[in-house]
């Protein structure tokens, strides 16, 4: 008889679907009467597009955004026929015919994609106009040249969108510039619902909400207002298993490069998580974990499959092989790990690895293994 997956895994990732639903409701309430979609690209920011989207659909979310056609096809399989699914990257050359069978709505980002979709009048599309991001979407010049024809193009426009470059910096002057550029572009498409705000944009206030908002990161607990209290729930807990605990003398080094030298004698716990699991190497010397609410600093460098913590201050009855160290959770959230790693919460989430044993907790608190 084989052991259970949780026993075999070096770490357990618990995903609180009830928390994600609560975050979506919070954002939807803040943006009302605008409709609130959900962005579940990159496998639901690393947390599982299918379980996340199913939970949100059950809570009333009617429109989901993914990045790629393949993500859209997979999500259609997970969600069934009902909710709308839009694909940010739009139809890449040779793929336009594959949207209709899965009832996927392309986001059209350039004149070539618009032209292609006109020749595939299979269903609605979303128009993306660039207002200051210079990444995807019709440039101001392209939009000015096409604006009169767009309403008569034969395309059923489901929405017109743009994306804010600096929404997490409320005082940035580009926010207001993008908002006014977007408002005047949207006026050229009467009757087409406009949508500008993602997570942080929702917190810029009602003038940014238009008819549709599309949060991603905030659903997953990333703070949409850096530097201010996070109004959203943490939805992930990552617990790494201690493989060994050892006494280390003063002056001895720990890990690759002998990069950490013990200033005093102590105890170190080696945990079965490393950069191959998305526990970023840039957390070397900087990250931490928690045991029974007590902070344990990360020692030395993160290696591929292992990381070491200083558990000198923890009761040995708590820090022993087989015990768990909390790497992400209520004490040390996604944004805390991001700050220590010199990155953003988005990258911490999307890097979360495939070797974790995943447990999904539903709104009622019931656990479902992945
Ligand atoms: C076009 C677009 N809209 C919405 C989002 C969701 O943004 P956020 O995760 O900041 O809510 C993204 C994410 O990168 C995006 O590229």
């Amino acid at each position: 008889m084989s052991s259970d997956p949780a026993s075999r895994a070096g770490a357990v990732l618990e995903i609180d679907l009830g928390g994600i639903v609560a975050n979506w409701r919070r954002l939807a309430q803040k943006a009302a009467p605008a409709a609130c979609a959900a962005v579940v690209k990159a496998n639901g920011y690393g947390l599982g597009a299918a379980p996340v989207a199913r939970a949100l659909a059950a809570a009333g979310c009617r429109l989901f955004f993914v990045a790629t056609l393949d993500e859209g096809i997979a999500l259609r399989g997970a969600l069934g026929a009902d909710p709308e699914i839009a694909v940010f990257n739009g139809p890449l050359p040779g793929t336009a015919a594959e949207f209709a069978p899965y009832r996927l709505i392309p986001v059209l980002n350039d004149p070539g994609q618009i032209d292609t979709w006109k020749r595939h009048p299979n269903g609605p599309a979303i128009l993306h106009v660039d207002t200051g991001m210079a990444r995807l979407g019709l440039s101001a010049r392209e939009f000015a040249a096409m604006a009169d024809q767009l309403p008569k193009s034969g395309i059923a426009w489901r929405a017109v969108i743009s994306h804010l470059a600096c929404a997490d910096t409320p005082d940035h002057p580009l926010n207001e510039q993008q908002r006014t550029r977007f408002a005047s572009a949207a006026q050229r498409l009467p009757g087409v619902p406009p949508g500008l705000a993602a997570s942080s944009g929702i917190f810029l206030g009602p003038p940014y909400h238009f008819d549709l908002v599309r949060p991603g990161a905030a659903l997953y607990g990333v703070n949409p207002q850096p530097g201010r209290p996070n109004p959203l729930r943490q939805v992930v807990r990552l617990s790494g298993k201690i493989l060994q605990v050892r006494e280390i003398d003063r002056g001895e080094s720990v890990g690759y490069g002998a990069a950490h030298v013990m200033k005093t004698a102590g105890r170190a716990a080696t945990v079965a998580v490393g950069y191959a699991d998305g526990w970023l190497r840039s957390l070397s010397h900087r990250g931490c974990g928690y045991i029974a609410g007590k902070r344990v600093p990360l020692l030395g460098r993160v290696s591929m499959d292992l990381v070491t913590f200083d558990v000198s201050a923890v009761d040995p009855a708590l820090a022993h092989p087989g015990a768990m160290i909390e790497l992400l959770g209520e004490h040390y959230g996604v944004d805390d790990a991001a700050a220590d790693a010199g990155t953003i919460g988005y990258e911490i989430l999307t890097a979360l690895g495939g070797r974790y044993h995943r447990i999904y907790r539903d709104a009622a608190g019931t656990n479902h293994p992945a």
Side-chain angles (χ1 to χ4, degrees):
M1 206 175 76
S2 64
S3 51
D4 74 283
S7 310
R8 293 205 294 275
V12 175
L13 182 67
E14 292 167 72
I15 296 154
D16 176 8
L17 295 174
I20 294 173
V21 166
N23 287 343
W24 179 77
R25 290 205 169 109
R26 178 97 213 252
L27 296 163
Q29 200 177 31
K30 194 157 179 64
C36 189
V39 179
V40 296
K41 62 194 169 93
N43 195 25
Y45 288 49
L47 301 186
V52 166
R54 276 196 213 107
L56 291 175
C61 182
R62 308 314 304 151
L63 171 60
F64 295 87
F65 283 89
V66 294
T68 68
L69 173 60
D70 282 337
E71 288 182 343
I73 291 171
L75 189 62
R76 177 59 72 210
L79 283 181
D82 242 10
E84 293 182 300
I85 300 172
V87 178
F88 278 131
N89 290 357
L92 305 189
T95 67
E98 292 174 65
F99 282 70
Y102 301 97
R103 229 169 57 73
L104 301 177
I105 303 172
V107 176
L108 305 182
N109 295 294
D110 61 40
Q113 289 190 333
I114 293 170
D115 210 45
T116 303
W117 201 249
K118 272 198 267 185
R119 287 182 279 109
H120 281 273
N122 289 317
I126 292 175
L127 179 69
H128 187 174
V129 294
D130 179 32
T131 53
M133 182 79 163
R135 195 178 60 166
L136 286 179
L138 291 184
S139 69
R141 209 170 297 126
E142 287 166 337
F143 182 74
M146 304 182 81
D148 285 342
Q149 296 135 47
L150 289 168
K152 329 174 225 173
S153 60
I155 296 175
W157 295 112
R158 167 64 181 84
V160 52
I161 66 167
S162 191
H163 195 45
L164 294 166
C166 305
D168 60 355
T169 312
D171 294 338
H172 200 293
L174 189 55
N175 290 324
E176 185 55 15
Q177 286 169 21
Q178 286 197 262
R179 192 188 70 75
T180 50
R181 286 175 196 156
F182 180 65
S184 59
Q187 272 177 2
R188 308 286 298 271
L189 291 143
V192 179
L196 177 63
S199 297
S200 297
I202 292 172
F203 291 83
L204 295 176
Y208 286 80
H209 295 165
F210 293 91
D211 286 352
L212 172 69
V213 297
R214 41 174 214 283
L219 298 172
Y220 311 107
V222 173
N223 189 356
Q225 302 172 286
R228 302 183 63 177
N230 190 347
L232 299 154
R233 271 164 63 173
Q234 288 302 302
V235 302
V236 290
R237 183 187 295 148
L238 176 62
S239 312
K241 195 171 287 171
I242 298 178
L243 300 178
Q244 286 195 4
V245 177
R246 68 184 61 243
E247 305 285 341
I248 306 184
D249 292 338
R250 177 168 175 263
E252 271 194 284
S253 65
V254 180
Y256 278 121
H260 178 83
V261 177
M262 299 293 281
K263 290 200 183 77
T264 56
R267 262 179 312 118
T270 303
V271 168
V273 169
Y275 60 73
D277 302 297
W279 206 241
L280 303 180
R281 193 164 178 275
S282 51
L283 286 165
S284 298
H285 306 289
R286 303 177 60 88
C288 69
Y290 278 81
I291 301 184
K294 204 173 201 108
R295 184 177 186 279
V296 289
L298 193 156
L299 288 181
R301 293 184 187 164
V302 176
S303 49
M304 186 183 291
D305 316 299
L306 301 169
V307 66
T308 308
F309 293 92
D310 184 346
V311 294
S312 309
V314 178
D315 182 346
L318 296 172
H320 56 81
M324 303 301 265
I325 294 189
E326 187 181 287
L327 303 185
L328 281 176
E330 57 176 313
H331 299 101
Y332 189 66
V334 167
D335 290 312
D336 299 314
D340 281 344
T343 184
I344 52 176
Y346 297 64
E347 193 175 28
I348 296 290
L349 287 174
T350 54
L352 289 170
R355 295 193 290 193
Y356 300 142
H357 176 64
R358 291 180 174 228
I359 295 173
Y360 289 91
R361 214 165 336 113
D362 68 18
T366 312
N367 286 347
H368 301 276

